[in-house]
């Protein structure tokens, strides 16, 4: 049948078919004088990269932009190796004369407190860079073996008095009295830092400079505060250099932090991302140099020649970005936030990371055994309630037990598998009516704490220092708060007994104690200031309990409920409103109906009308400007405030309300850290070793503890001038738990 239809259609449209054939015919009878034609001129040579990049940039075709952006292979540049003493000295002379350059330390690994120097890249002008190779080839390709061979012999969990961690903070990070003193990082040459020696050795077609000779030549340049150094993640460079006895001072613009200040909501602020966005340039990645996955090689295994373009870009692009981002910071009113908060915080965080914290490994081992017993007990209870044994870690098996066997209501389903969800929020709601979900939650919490901290921390003790060194991230949290990683020491729970026991394993060195200094209700105090709420201000000024005040506003003074219960509920309401929680979420937190929770919220705003006005004003201004700011000018972009999607818009509203409060509190903490760091120079045996949200932790000589505690308290309470006083709770103890109480 189809053939008949085709035949009839062709017969009916014969003329059109013949015309189409003529239109498609390739005429081969056209006379061409081949002697006059250069056939190679018609050969396809690929697209015009410049034209494609410009077009795809305009159309915002991001993947195609990446494909056609300029690269190290397509631009004119002046990248050179520096492999002789004379060339190195010439580089130092040139950089000194220029008075400003970009720096990048290439290291053997991502952990600055363990890495050794592979090379140093410098740039004093766009598309120009010099790379000083130092640690390429040989066993230097294995960073861990290099560190093991260079160590001071400190054993994990032992005393740090013979290690880098024992250098007093006052000596490690002294200022040198210049106009850039607030941005300086210094260090003494410490035992335990990698000490590569020997003559320059041929690697591929080039040589490299001996580490000792390179440090000797570069040290005066890097320690000259009158010469400005810019870079991308200067804290990392400062820490690696500090471990090699070099004091990095004269810090200029850190382009990673500049990118973060301009838009803190971005998922990342890598050099590659910033270069593509602001310079239209596709930078090499470390994976391009080292490879990926199991086939990846150590950075030090690559030859200096192979590393040159990657290393050169690290410095060159940082310098170009600094020139590009500096006016953007000024235009956005963020240059003050950088100069007064973020830049002077760099050496403070570097000092904390280098100091590290001592861990009681034996105590954690005992805790691990205890938690194993607790897990076994809860497992038995879970299996008894379930009527059978199953893999508690298996969502599928757990789902079958809860929803198929026990017939509990399936409150939510997974988007992909369509199976009933066993997520935390689901189990929390089910736990209100059944013991099995409650036990599952308890089991999960125990297992997570055991795996994340109790069992993991002993493995993370640095063999060179005998201490655990976390890394603090300045460019992650959108509110300006610091975060912690490798390991994350900011998520150890304080309200559970096990969390407090884990903190007990954070101990002071012999002859020392720990001081915990914690801001009291800082976010509520910031709210009182920003909202100019008279009742809250008077309560804080009088030293009254703010949660009791809130309880009175919500429940009335003649409520028949237990005062302690009223205070507990009021505390939850206070913090729920800070984070923009809805009546539905608040209802789950305090165990009431959404209607009752909404009544609590309405009563709160009736009692504190200026808080309601502050929230409304903040949202109104943010919808117009697209940004929301802290008291000190830090900003967060909130474009979703005008979204037509209700859920997206509601989330943006919560972020917009929370940012001025939590962001201002974060700024105050950072200012306090800077001030305390400066104050501790009068106490060589004292050092800041940890920051956790609103708390600072110090390790000090026992006999000086009371005096230093007073110094810390005064500096923290003076970090900001608000309409309400800042109060700091200070405790002293042999371990973190005891100091916290």
């Amino acid at each position: 049948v189809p053939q008949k239809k085709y035949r009839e259609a062709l017969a009916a449209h014969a003329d059109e078919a013949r015309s189409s054939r003529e239109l498609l015919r390739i005429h081969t009878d056209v006379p061409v004088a081949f002697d006059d034609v250069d056939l190679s001129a018609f050969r396809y040579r690929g697209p015009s990269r410049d034209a494609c990049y410009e077009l795809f940039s305009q159309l915002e075709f991001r993947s195609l932009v990446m494909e056609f952006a300029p690269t190290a292979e397509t631009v004119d540049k002046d990248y050179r190796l520096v492999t002789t003493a004379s060339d190195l000295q010439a580089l130092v002379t040139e950089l000194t004369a220029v008075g400003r350059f970009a720096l990048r330390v290439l290291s053997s690994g991502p952990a600055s407190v363990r890495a050794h120097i592979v090379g140093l890249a410098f740039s004093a002008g766009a598309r120009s860079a010099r790379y000083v190779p130092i640690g390429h080839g040989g066993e230097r390709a294995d960073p861990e073996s290099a560190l093991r061979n260079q160590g001071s012999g400190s054993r994990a969990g032992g005393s740090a008095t013979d290690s880098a961690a024992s250098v007093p903070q006052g000596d490690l990070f002294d200022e040198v009295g210049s106009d850039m003193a607030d941005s300086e990082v210094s260090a003494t040459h410490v035992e335990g830092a990698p000490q590569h020696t020997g003559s320059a050795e041929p690697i591929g077609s080039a040589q490299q400079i001996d580490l000792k000779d390179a440090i000797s030549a570069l040290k005066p340049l890097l320690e000259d505060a009158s010469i400005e150094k810019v870079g991308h993640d200067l804290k990392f460079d400062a820490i690696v250099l500090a471990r090699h006895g070099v004091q990095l001072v004269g810090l200029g613009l850190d382009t990673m932090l500049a990118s973060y200040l301009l838009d803190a909501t971005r998922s990342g602020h890598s050099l590659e991302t910033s270069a593509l966005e602001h310079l239209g340039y596709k930078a090499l990645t470390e994976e391009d140099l080292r490879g990926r996955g199991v086939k990846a090689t150590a950075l030090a295994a690559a030859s200096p020649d192979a590393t040159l373009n990657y290393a050169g870009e690290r410095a060159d692009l940082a310098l170009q970005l600094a020139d590009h981002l500096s006016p953007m910071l000024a235009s956005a009113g963020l240059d003050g936030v950088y100069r007064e908060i973020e830049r002077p915080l760099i050496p403070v965080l570097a000092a904390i990371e280098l100091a590290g914290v001592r861990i009681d490994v034996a105590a954690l081992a005992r805790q691990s055994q205890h938690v194993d017993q607790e897990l076994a007990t809860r497992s038995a209870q879970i299996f008894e309630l379930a009527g059978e044994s199953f893999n508690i870690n298996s969502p599928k098996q757990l789902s079958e037990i809860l929803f198929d066997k026990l017939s509990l209501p399936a409150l939510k389903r997974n988007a992909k598998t369509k199976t009933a969800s066993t997520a935390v929020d689901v189990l929390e709601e089910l736990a209100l009516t059944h013991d099995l979900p409650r036990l599952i939650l308890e089991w999960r919490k125990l297992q997570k704490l055991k795996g994340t901290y109790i069992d993991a921390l002993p493995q993370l003790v640095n063999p060179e220092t005998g201490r655990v060194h976390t890394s603090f991230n300045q460019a992650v949290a959108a509110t300006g708060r610091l975060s912690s990683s490798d390991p994350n020491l900011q998520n150890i729970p304080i309200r559970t007994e096990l969390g407090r026991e884990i903190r007990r394993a954070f101990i002071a060195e012999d002859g020392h104690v720990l001081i915990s200094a914690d801001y009291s209700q800082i976010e509520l105090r910031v709210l009182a200031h920003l909202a100019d709420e008279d009742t809250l201000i008077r309560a804080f000024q009088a030293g009254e309990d703010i949660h009791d005040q809130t309880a009175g506003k919500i429940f009335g003074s003649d409520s028949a409920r237990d005062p302690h219960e009223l205070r507990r509920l009021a505390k939850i309401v206070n913090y729920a409103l800070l984070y923009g929680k809805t009546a539905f979420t608040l209802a789950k937190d305090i165990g009431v109906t959404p209607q009752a929770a909404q009544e609590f919220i309405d009563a709160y705003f009736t009692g504190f009308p200026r808080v309601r006005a502050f929230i409304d004003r903040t949202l109104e201004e943010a919808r117009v400007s697209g940004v929301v700011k802290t008291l000190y000018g830090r900003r967060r972009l909130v474009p979703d405030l005008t979204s037509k999607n209700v859920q997206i818009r509601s989330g943006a509203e919560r972020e917009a309300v929370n940012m001025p409060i939590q962001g201002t509190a974060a700024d105050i903490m950072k200012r306090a850290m800077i001030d305390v760091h400066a104050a501790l120079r009068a106490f060589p045996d004292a050092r800041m070793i940890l920051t956790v949200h609103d708390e600072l932790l110090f390790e000090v000589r026992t006999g000086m503890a009371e005096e230093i505690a007073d110094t810390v308290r005064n500096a923290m309470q003076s970090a900001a001038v608000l309409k309400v006083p800042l109060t700091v709770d200070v405790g002293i103890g042999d371990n973190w738990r005891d100091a916290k109480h």
Side-chain angles (χ1 to χ4, degrees):
V1 177
Q3 288 82 357
K4 180 180 179 181
K5 287 185 177 181
Y6 294 156
R7 185 170 62 251
E8 292 175 350
L10 184 61
H13 301 281
D15 291 340
E16 290 93 328
R18 294 187 182 96
S19 296
S20 296
R21 183 179 65 177
E22 290 305 312
L23 288 172
L24 294 171
R25 186 190 300 276
I26 298 176
H27 289 270
T28 60
D29 55 350
V30 176
V32 177
F34 285 98
D35 293 340
D36 299 331
V37 175
D38 180 9
L39 293 179
S40 65
F42 295 96
R43 183 177 293 114
Y44 176 68
R45 291 176 172 80
S48 167
R49 296 188 64 85
D50 292 343
C52 285
Y53 176 73
E54 182 178 355
L55 174 63
F56 297 143
S57 295
Q58 293 174 354
L59 297 175
E60 297 184 356
F61 291 174
R62 295 188 178 183
S63 59
L64 291 174
V65 166
M66 288 285 288
E67 184 176 345
F68 291 99
T71 67
E73 299 299 324
T74 63
V75 301
D76 294 330
K77 61 187 182 302
D78 178 19
Y79 291 178
R80 302 181 202 173
L81 293 173
V82 176
T83 59
T84 67
S86 59
D87 287 345
L88 181 59
Q89 191 54 55
L91 173 63
V92 171
T93 301
E94 177 189 353
L95 296 176
T96 302
V98 172
R100 176 179 181 263
F101 61 84
L103 163 73
R104 184 56 179 172
V105 177
L106 269 65
S107 68
S108 59
S112 56
V113 293
R114 291 177 180 251
H116 66 261
I117 298 175
V118 174
L120 295 101
F122 301 88
S123 176
R127 301 284 168 85
S128 175
R130 300 292 181 265
Y131 178 54
V132 183
I134 292 172
H136 290 263
E139 73 168 359
R140 296 174 190 170
D142 178 3
E144 291 302 322
S145 69
L147 284 168
R148 286 193 297 270
N149 293 336
Q150 299 298 333
S152 62
S154 298
R155 62 181 183 276
S159 172
T161 54
D162 295 324
S163 68
S166 68
V167 179
Q169 179 174 287
D171 293 336
L172 213 90
F173 291 91
D174 281 337
E175 309 292 2
V176 295
S178 75
D179 57 349
M180 304 188 78
D182 63 340
S183 62
E184 295 157 3
V185 177
S186 64
T188 58
H189 190 69
V190 296
E191 183 181 357
Q195 305 294 313
H196 306 306
T197 59
S199 59
E201 55 195 72
I203 304 291
S205 61
Q207 289 184 321
Q208 58 183 343
I209 304 293
D210 170 62
L211 174 64
K212 183 178 179 181
D213 295 338
I215 294 298
S216 177
L218 293 169
K219 186 179 175 73
L221 173 73
L222 298 174
E223 295 185 345
D224 189 338
S226 67
I227 300 175
E228 182 183 357
K229 292 88 175 176
V230 303
H232 197 85
D233 192 3
L234 286 169
K235 174 167 68 72
F236 182 93
D237 298 334
I239 292 173
V240 177
L241 288 171
R243 295 179 56 248
H244 291 77
V246 177
Q247 173 179 298
L248 184 63
V249 297
L251 303 186
L253 188 68
D254 186 321
T255 53
M256 180 183 73
L257 298 182
S259 172
Y260 167 69
L261 287 176
L262 288 167
D263 185 0
T265 63
R266 297 180 67 101
S267 59
H269 303 274
S270 68
L271 182 69
E272 294 86 352
T273 301
S274 295
L276 186 65
E277 177 183 355
H278 297 290
L279 304 177
Y281 182 92
K282 183 183 177 183
L284 292 166
T285 67
E286 192 169 328
E287 287 185 343
D288 294 331
L289 183 63
R290 299 176 54 235
R292 299 182 181 182
V294 295
K295 295 183 179 180
T297 60
L299 182 63
S303 70
D305 285 326
T307 309
L308 178 59
N309 280 345
Y310 173 79
E313 284 182 348
R314 301 297 101 180
D316 173 23
L317 296 177
L319 188 68
Q320 293 187 53
L321 282 170
D323 293 336
H324 184 86
L325 297 179
S326 289
M328 294 179 65
L329 284 179
S331 177
L334 293 166
D335 49 345
V337 179
Y338 179 75
R339 288 195 318 271
E340 297 169 15
I341 298 178
E342 295 300 340
R343 185 178 69 186
L345 188 66
I346 293 173
V348 180
L349 295 177
I352 297 174
E353 292 182 26
L354 277 167
V357 59
R358 189 182 179 192
I359 299 295
D360 188 338
V361 175
L364 288 174
R366 292 191 296 271
Q367 287 183 27
S368 181
Q369 293 177 349
H370 174 71
V371 173
D372 279 337
Q373 295 172 357
E374 289 290 320
L375 286 170
T377 299
R378 280 171 173 74
S379 294
Q381 294 173 334
I382 289 169
F383 297 152
E384 183 178 357
L385 286 174
E388 62 179 276
S389 298
F390 65 98
N391 182 357
I392 302 174
N393 275 323
S394 169
K396 181 176 182 297
Q397 293 185 33
L398 178 59
S399 178
E400 291 172 353
I401 293 293
L402 293 177
F403 307 116
D404 296 339
K405 185 173 183 178
L406 300 180
S407 300
L408 295 180
L411 304 176
K412 186 168 64 175
R413 295 191 176 272
N414 294 310
K416 291 184 178 180
T417 64
K418 303 303 180 183
T419 58
S421 172
T422 59
V424 172
D425 58 337
V426 172
L427 295 182
E428 286 176 341
E429 189 161 348
L430 293 174
L432 298 175
T433 58
H434 200 286
D435 284 341
L436 181 58
R438 175 182 58 79
L439 288 170
I440 294 290
L441 288 170
E442 292 176 0
W443 188 92
R444 283 183 177 180
K445 290 177 182 178
L446 284 173
Q447 188 189 52
K448 182 175 181 179
L449 286 175
K450 184 175 185 294
T452 304
Y453 297 109
I454 297 174
D455 291 343
L457 285 175
Q459 307 303 317
L460 297 173
V461 173
N462 188 320
E464 307 303 326
T465 66
R467 298 164 76 93
V468 170
H469 302 262
T470 186
S471 178
F472 290 100
N473 309 303
Q474 275 180 272
V476 172
T479 59
R481 272 195 167 192
L482 295 169
S483 66
S484 165
S485 58
D486 303 319
N488 180 358
L489 298 181
Q490 295 191 334
N491 279 355
I492 304 174
I494 187 60
R495 292 184 179 88
T496 67
E497 182 58 30
L498 180 57
R500 290 190 287 270
E501 282 302 303
I502 293 174
R503 291 182 179 224
R504 190 192 293 277
F506 288 70
I507 58 176
E509 293 291 342
D510 294 341
H512 293 70
V513 292
L514 300 183
I515 297 175
S516 168
D518 196 350
Y519 276 118
S520 173
Q521 301 173 341
I522 187 171
E523 291 182 353
L524 291 173
R525 294 171 190 270
V526 168
L527 172 64
H529 175 88
L530 295 177
D532 196 21
E533 178 57 65
D534 291 339
T535 305
L536 292 176
I537 291 173
R538 287 196 301 269
F540 279 123
Q541 288 176 341
E544 298 173 357
D545 189 301
I546 200 65
H547 301 309
D548 284 341
Q549 286 283 325
T550 302
K553 294 292 184 180
I554 296 177
F555 305 108
S557 58
D558 56 349
S559 175
R561 296 191 186 188
D562 177 63
H564 296 291
E565 174 65 10
L566 293 179
R567 184 186 185 281
R568 184 187 71 83
L569 294 175
K571 182 177 181 179
I572 295 174
V573 172
N574 270 328
Y575 286 103
L577 295 179
L578 284 179
Y579 294 95
K581 289 189 176 182
T582 62
F584 178 78
T585 308
L586 177 60
K588 293 174 63 177
D589 291 343
I590 59 180
V592 300
T593 65
Q595 181 180 359
Q598 186 61 56
E599 291 174 358
F600 291 165
I601 293 174
D602 293 341
Y604 179 95
F605 286 129
T606 299
F608 303 113
R610 291 194 180 182
V611 173
R612 174 80 272 173
F614 162 73
I615 292 174
D616 293 342
R617 183 171 65 252
T618 299
L619 291 174
E620 182 180 354
E621 293 174 354
R623 289 190 186 100
V624 175
S625 65
V627 301
V628 62
K629 296 183 178 182
T630 70
L631 183 64
Y632 298 97
R634 184 187 302 276
R635 74 178 189 180
R636 177 175 184 165
L637 306 184
V638 283
D640 290 334
L641 278 178
T642 57
S643 173
K644 294 181 179 179
N645 184 300
V646 175
Q647 287 185 321
I648 294 176
R649 187 172 66 251
S650 297
E653 289 174 350
R654 289 192 293 272
E655 293 168 353
V657 171
N658 176 244
M659 172 62 182
I661 302 166
Q662 190 177 105
T664 297
D667 286 345
I668 292 173
M669 172 55 86
K670 289 180 175 180
R671 288 164 62 95
M673 293 174 67
I674 295 165
D675 293 345
V676 171
H677 178 78
L680 289 184
R681 292 193 185 92
F683 304 95
D685 290 327
R687 54 186 172 177
M688 199 185 317
I689 61 172
L690 206 58
T691 173
V692 180
H693 304 313
D694 303 330
E695 178 186 8
L696 296 177
L697 193 66
F698 304 86
E699 187 174 34
V700 306
R701 186 73 66 180
T702 302
M704 301 292 292
E706 293 292 343
E707 182 180 357
I708 294 172
D710 288 340
T711 299
V712 168
R713 181 189 291 107
N714 292 335
M716 291 179 68
Q717 291 182 168
S718 303
V721 178
L722 304 179
K723 297 168 186 174
V724 298
L726 289 175
T727 301
V728 177
D729 298 324
V730 178
I732 302 172
D734 293 330
N735 59 71
W736 190 5
R737 172 179 175 151
D738 291 349
K740 182 71 175 175
H741 283 65

